[in-house]
Amino acid sequence: MLETLTGQQDEQLVINMGPQHPSTHGVLRLVLNLDGETVTEARTVIGYLHTGIEKNLEFRTWTQGTTFVTRMDYLAPIFNETAYCMGVEKLLGITDQIPERAQAIRVMMMELTRISSHMVAIGTFGMELGATTPFLFGSREREMVLDVMEYITGLRMNMAYVRPGGVSVDLPAGAVDKVGELLKVMPGRIKDMRKMLDANPVYLARTKDIAYLDLTGCMALGVTGPMLRAAGLPWDLRKSQPYCGYETYEFDVPTEKSADVYGRYLVRVAEMEESLKIIEQALDRLSGPLKGGRVMVDDKKIGWPAQLALGPDGLGNSPDHIAHIMSGSMEALIHHFKLVTEGFRVPAGQAYASVESPRGELGAHVVSDGGTRPYRVHFRDPSFTNLQAMPATCEGGMVADVISAVASIDPVMGGVDR
């Protein structure tokens, strides 16, 4: 019971939403102060999914680090890997030596991942508002992307496919056709999602003018990604601070002026359409001028795995490489053994590398003391930063709108609690 200025008693209710509530993205806890159904105060409580990934990296080689970082934002694993590897490559001074084919593969894989991540964001959002069809549609489309991922990398998620110096293995035979088939089907599927939600009166009632956060608020809180672009600022690292050759691709940065939940939805759908354009351009390069090119740096003291091939027992070292290290060169065998067991050394220093993930700026601050393991790795995860906007978007609104607000932020707790 709270006493007001007039001496009257005002009854407020403190409720917990989560940490297992499906509308709080699983393991996020919200503590809400309610006056009736109006939220007067909102607080986020995190840490329920703590993995210690950043600390674990200090006890693994630089290459093994990709296996850990890929599990942070588990809806965007390729982005985690690319940011980390770009940081390591900066310290090694080999950023300009990454083969063009490897860069094009990274771009294609990141944009495929962006589509699959946004499909989860829009699909789960629909389900949280009580509509199961968007979730079924989003899951179906994401499954198509994951099938392609599995075909190329061997795994659906957490692939550890991007490595310092390039990517672990070249595209398998038929991968270009697989992606080409997806490009034929996906535009129609995105259009179906638009038909279902863009002008849906119930959806509009739950999203328009809800969880308003203008550009000033976004800038004050360090918000990036679709939330920031829905407030009208076309800030996208692929355009403003290009990496992996994004400056050579033609695409637009979608923005909206509404600064509400509906605007964030529109930005995400438009981003998927732009991603399809980028994937098509990358595919043309991979099947054309870059066909047959290298996917790992030439420096044999850094590039690992050296040569992989698909054999009857799955993915492993190529027969040529095995023949070379086992019978052709003792020095090569020693080097291979040292590279696998100990790893390469990275010059002392620190570097920051960032990519535009589906949720905003994902940056890796990588520190080396000159050894074969990271001294420190810290990630600037957009889910963690954007989650600060939760009180600003919820306070003063209805408790039902808290669900819309959190879903429009699209936090992934693996990235928050890393």
Side-chain angles (χ1 to χ4, degrees), residues 75-92:
L75 292 182
I78 290 285
F79 291 92
N80 303 326
E81 298 169 20
T82 304
Y84 168 75
C85 289
M86 282 168 52
V88 177
E89 288 158 5
K90 269 189 181 179
L91 287 177
L92 288 166

Side-chain angles (χ1 to χ4, degrees), residues 306-310 316-324:
Q307 296 174 42
L308 295 181
L310 275 173
N317 287 306
S318 72
D320 291 344
H321 183 60
I322 292 171
H324 178 60

Side-chain angles (χ1 to χ4, degrees), residues 71-260:
R71 287 167 166 78
M72 296 190 313
D73 179 346
Y74 40 76
L75 292 182
I78 290 285
F79 291 92
N80 303 326
E81 298 169 20
T82 304
Y84 168 75
C85 289
M86 282 168 52
V88 177
E89 288 158 5
K90 269 189 181 179
L91 287 177
L92 288 166
I94 61 169
T95 301
D96 297 333
Q97 299 172 33
I98 310 303
E100 282 188 54
R101 182 169 175 84
Q103 297 284 37
I105 291 173
R106 287 181 180 184
V107 168
M108 183 182 77
M109 298 294 278
M110 280 191 282
E111 295 309 318
L112 283 168
T113 303
R114 191 183 309 278
I115 292 172
S116 75
S117 178
H118 282 344
M119 281 296 179
V120 174
I122 296 166
T124 53
F125 180 43
M127 190 169 63
E128 285 162 8
L129 297 185
T132 54
T133 312
F135 179 72
L136 295 174
F137 276 31
S139 299
R140 180 186 63 182
E141 274 62 278
R142 179 172 184 254
E143 197 67 22
M144 290 172 56
V145 177
L146 294 186
D147 284 345
V148 172
M149 291 287 188
E150 186 176 19
Y151 188 81
I152 292 173
T153 70
L155 292 165
R156 290 158 54 86
M157 295 169 63
N158 308 332
M159 297 76 92
Y161 180 66
V162 181
R163 306 286 175 89
V167 295
S168 64
V169 66
D170 201 356
L171 299 178
V176 170
D177 295 335
K178 283 263 187 192
V179 180
E181 289 167 16
L182 183 135
L183 287 175
K184 290 176 188 172
V185 178
M186 193 59 79
R189 298 292 177 84
I190 295 173
K191 200 174 286 182
D192 287 345
M193 191 73 91
R194 277 193 178 278
K195 284 179 185 175
M196 187 164 44
L197 297 175
D198 275 15
N200 185 316
V202 178
Y203 188 71
L204 293 177
R206 295 297 307 272
T207 57
K208 275 204 164 184
D209 302 320
I210 302 295
Y212 180 83
L213 186 67
D214 62 11
L215 184 55
T216 305
C218 288
M219 299 292 280
L221 293 167
V223 169
T224 54
M227 279 192 82
L228 178 63
R229 292 190 282 276
L233 185 68
W235 177 259
D236 188 315
L237 295 182
R238 295 174 294 174
K239 288 281 191 185
S240 53
Q241 297 171 14
Y243 53 93
C244 293
Y246 267 110
E247 65 275 13
T248 64
Y249 293 83
E250 288 184 19
F251 65 100
D252 298 320
V253 178
T255 58
E256 292 289 332
K257 294 285 178 66
S258 59
D260 60 3

Side-chain angles (χ1 to χ4, degrees), residues 47-60 68-69 71-72 376-377 413-414 416-418:
Y48 293 95
L49 198 63
H50 182 61
T51 54
I53 285 172
E54 290 181 345
K55 189 65 181 173
N56 271 303
L57 290 174
E58 298 169 21
F59 301 93
R60 297 294 186 277
F68 281 80
V69 300
R71 287 167 166 78
M72 296 190 313
R376 180 81 172 93
V377 177
M413 301 313 292
V416 175
D417 297 339
R418 71 212 168 280

Side-chain angles (χ1 to χ4, degrees), residues 320-371:
D320 291 344
H321 183 60
I322 292 171
H324 178 60
I325 64 175
M326 296 306 290
S327 56
S329 169
M330 174 60 78
E331 290 78 12
L333 176 62
I334 293 169
H335 170 69
H336 176 84
F337 179 78
K338 291 276 283 182
L339 188 61
V340 173
T341 57
E342 188 179 281
F344 51 78
R345 292 187 178 275
V346 172
Q350 56 184 319
Y352 178 78
S354 55
V355 299
E356 184 68 36
S357 92
R359 273 154 283 286
E361 180 178 340
L362 171 68
H365 181 211
V366 185
V367 184
S368 173
D369 59 0

